Amino acid sequence: MATVLSLLLVVLLSHAPSAFPATTTAATTGFRVAITRTHSPNSFTFKERFHRAVQRSRRRREVLKLANYSRHDVEAVFKWGDSEYLIELAVGTPMQPITAILDTGSDLIWTQCTPCIRCLPQPSPYYKPSTSSTYSVLPCSSPSCSGVGHRCNQKACQYDTSYGDNTETRGFLATETLTFGRKRVPGLTFGCGIWNNGTLSGSTGIVGLGRGTLSLPSQLHPRRFSYCLTPYNSSSTGHLFLGSKAKLGRRHRGGHVQTTPMLPSPSAVPFNTYYYLPIQGISLGRTLLPIPKTAFQIKKDGNGGMIIDSGTLLTIVDPAAFHVIVKKILSLVHLPVATSTDELLCFSWTPGLHRLPEMPDMVFHFDGADMVVPKDKYMISDPEEGLCLAIMSGEGTSILGNYMQQDMHILYDLKANSLSFADARCDQL
């Protein structure tokens, strides 16, 4: 493998206009990019889709837990491809289109490229650095090289990243011009993946939005960024906003903008990737649930607490919090229980025989802000097969998943270190 990579490096360098350029600071006044979502095949039933979502969310949580102990294990790109949100952009000069998974739980920006030892199927041609006049491989001496698991190959920075579902990408860190809509940004560090294994859910790679040095926000240095995710069962388009375009304006449904500070990552978390939120408790209707305070405490080893993540479908909470939530849900829902385990809760529901219950809003109480989650964002329903709680149990770090973030404009203020949110029609922003 090392010999093959060395030969490919020679090819990549031979076509690059400058092998080891100085790093370019990418400044931007602001832009927006459309967000779409992947969908599982229609042949999957509701029950199959839900249990696949459980498996993806469970694996995501496991990898987040593992990430506290290994600098090479990062978040999973999940196999069944119906919980990821995608953005379209272009790489290189002339521009070559790519479609990447949007992920606030990881940092590296990468795409599959040629010449390729092993590449996964994707909907568009593989990126060809040999045809781009703005592509340059980075040396190991580059500060960017320390932002990812890496090794040196003929003094070039070779990255090696493995994901929790056994997806892997290996290749070379390089600088390149990325284009978002009409906005061209030169000198961004990204991964040119020439050995890739696993699955990419119909995309070409990943755009990381985490807090680490190689993420898109960290490289662009915007004061803020935001996104608005369209509903799970919708084919409409949401948007990612960066810089001056990221703001919460008048177009939000009901209520007012809520703002909470983001907590610093524990020192045990590699690369400072995750966005931790100061959760104080959870209410269902007017009832503050008796969840132990220890359920959301951040531990010295990096586990515990709650992060917000665009790449996890279901919300995951500590078992102590889950059991309290389930007890309250069972007192409100008078339907036959289909699944009730230490991890999941589902009810049977037959149209014409059962009526969907009236259920109050769920409220996540953060420091200085309340996130109101209506029934259709914490319960997943299908008229033929059932009603399931969109919350699962898992030890370790709790995760506010993207199902609860639907039709909510969420703003990350990186200068103020705060998170703001408001209800919105994401397809109308």
Side-chain angles (χ1 to χ4, degrees), residues 195-237:
W195 192 97
N196 311 288
N197 184 45
T199 180
L200 285 174
S201 301
S203 72
T204 70
I206 295 177
V207 171
L209 294 178
R211 304 179 87 162
T213 57
L214 294 185
S215 74
L216 184 63
S218 294
Q219 293 196 62
L220 293 180
H221 305 293
R223 173 174 176 172
R224 55 189 180 266
F225 74 90
S226 67
Y227 56 73
C228 205
L229 306 178
T230 52
Y232 184 68
N233 59 355
S234 170
S235 59
S236 58
T237 299

Side-chain angles (χ1 to χ4, degrees), residues 355-377:
R355 293 181 58 186
L356 280 178
E358 295 293 331
M359 300 178 68
D361 294 336
M362 184 175 287
V363 183
F364 283 70
H365 302 287
F366 299 108
D367 186 2
D370 290 332
M371 180 176 286
V372 179
V373 182
K375 179 185 70 174
D376 61 352
K377 292 183 185 178

Side-chain angles (χ1 to χ4, degrees), residues 219-267:
Q219 293 196 62
L220 293 180
H221 305 293
R223 173 174 176 172
R224 55 189 180 266
F225 74 90
S226 67
Y227 56 73
C228 205
L229 306 178
T230 52
Y232 184 68
N233 59 355
S234 170
S235 59
S236 58
T237 299
H239 287 90
L240 167 71
F241 306 88
L242 286 104
S244 60
K245 296 290 185 181
K247 53 188 176 182
L248 295 183
R250 299 176 181 177
R251 295 184 181 180
H252 61 272
R253 297 179 311 191
H256 59 280
V257 176
Q258 302 266 351
T259 301
T260 187
M262 292 188 290
L263 301 176
S265 294
S267 58

Side-chain angles (χ1 to χ4, degrees), residues 25 44 50-51 58 84 129 189 255 274 288 301 308 327 365 384 393 402 427:
T25 299
F44 289 150
F50 180 74
H51 284 287
R58 181 189 294 122
E84 288 84 25
T189 298
Y274 312 122
L288 179 64
D301 64 1
I308 182 171
K327 183 177 179 179
H365 302 287
E384 296 182 358
S393 173
N402 64 43
D427 59 348

Side-chain angles (χ1 to χ4, degrees), residues 313-327:
L313 178 65
L314 301 181
T315 291
I316 305 174
V317 298
D318 183 87
F322 180 76
H323 293 316
V324 173
I325 294 171
V326 166
K327 183 177 179 179

Side-chain angles (χ1 to χ4, degrees), residues 27-44:
T28 179
T29 56
F31 57 87
R32 57 187 279 169
V33 187
I35 300 175
T36 57
R37 61 170 301 116
T38 57
H39 290 279
S40 62
N42 292 332
S43 58
F44 289 150

Side-chain angles (χ1 to χ4, degrees), residues 143-369:
S144 295
C145 200
S146 62
V148 68
H150 69 280
R151 66 188 71 177
C152 290
N153 191 330
Q154 298 184 22
K155 297 184 179 180
C157 185
Q158 177 189 327
Y159 77 88
D160 186 343
T161 297
S162 60
Y163 291 74
D165 66 341
N166 297 322
T167 294
E168 300 174 79
T169 177
R170 303 175 195 171
F172 295 94
L173 278 191
T175 58
E176 183 56 288
T177 296
L178 271 61
T179 302
F180 304 86
R182 297 181 179 180
K183 185 71 176 182
R184 287 176 60 80
V185 185
L188 288 179
T189 298
F190 84 115
C192 175
I194 59 176
W195 192 97
N196 311 288
N197 184 45
T199 180
L200 285 174
S201 301
S203 72
T204 70
I206 295 177
V207 171
L209 294 178
R211 304 179 87 162
T213 57
L214 294 185
S215 74
L216 184 63
S218 294
Q219 293 196 62
L220 293 180
H221 305 293
R223 173 174 176 172
R224 55 189 180 266
F225 74 90
S226 67
Y227 56 73
C228 205
L229 306 178
T230 52
Y232 184 68
N233 59 355
S234 170
S235 59
S236 58
T237 299
H239 287 90
L240 167 71
F241 306 88
L242 286 104
S244 60
K245 296 290 185 181
K247 53 188 176 182
L248 295 183
R250 299 176 181 177
R251 295 184 181 180
H252 61 272
R253 297 179 311 191
H256 59 280
V257 176
Q258 302 266 351
T259 301
T260 187
M262 292 188 290
L263 301 176
S265 294
S267 58
V269 176
F271 304 119
N272 190 36
T273 296
Y274 312 122
Y275 297 99
Y276 282 82
L277 302 180
I279 185 167
Q280 307 295 322
I282 300 174
S283 291
L284 198 55
R286 298 182 178 180
T287 303
L288 179 64
L289 301 180
I291 297 172
K293 291 185 178 180
T294 54
F296 297 119
Q297 286 182 346
I298 301 176
K299 301 175 178 62
K300 291 183 179 180
D301 64 1
N303 279 308
M306 173 174 277
I307 65 170
I308 182 171
D309 182 25
S310 68
T312 302
L313 178 65
L314 301 181
T315 291
I316 305 174
V317 298
D318 183 87
F322 180 76
H323 293 316
V324 173
I325 294 171
V326 166
K327 183 177 179 179
K328 184 63 176 179
I329 294 290
L330 288 172
S331 72
L332 296 173
V333 179
H334 304 294
L335 292 174
V337 176
T339 303
S340 181
T341 68
D342 290 338
E343 189 176 56
L344 301 172
L345 176 63
C346 287
F347 299 91
S348 297
W349 169 36
T350 304
L353 181 61
H354 302 123
R355 293 181 58 186
L356 280 178
E358 295 293 331
M359 300 178 68
D361 294 336
M362 184 175 287
V363 183
F364 283 70
H365 302 287
F366 299 108
D367 186 2

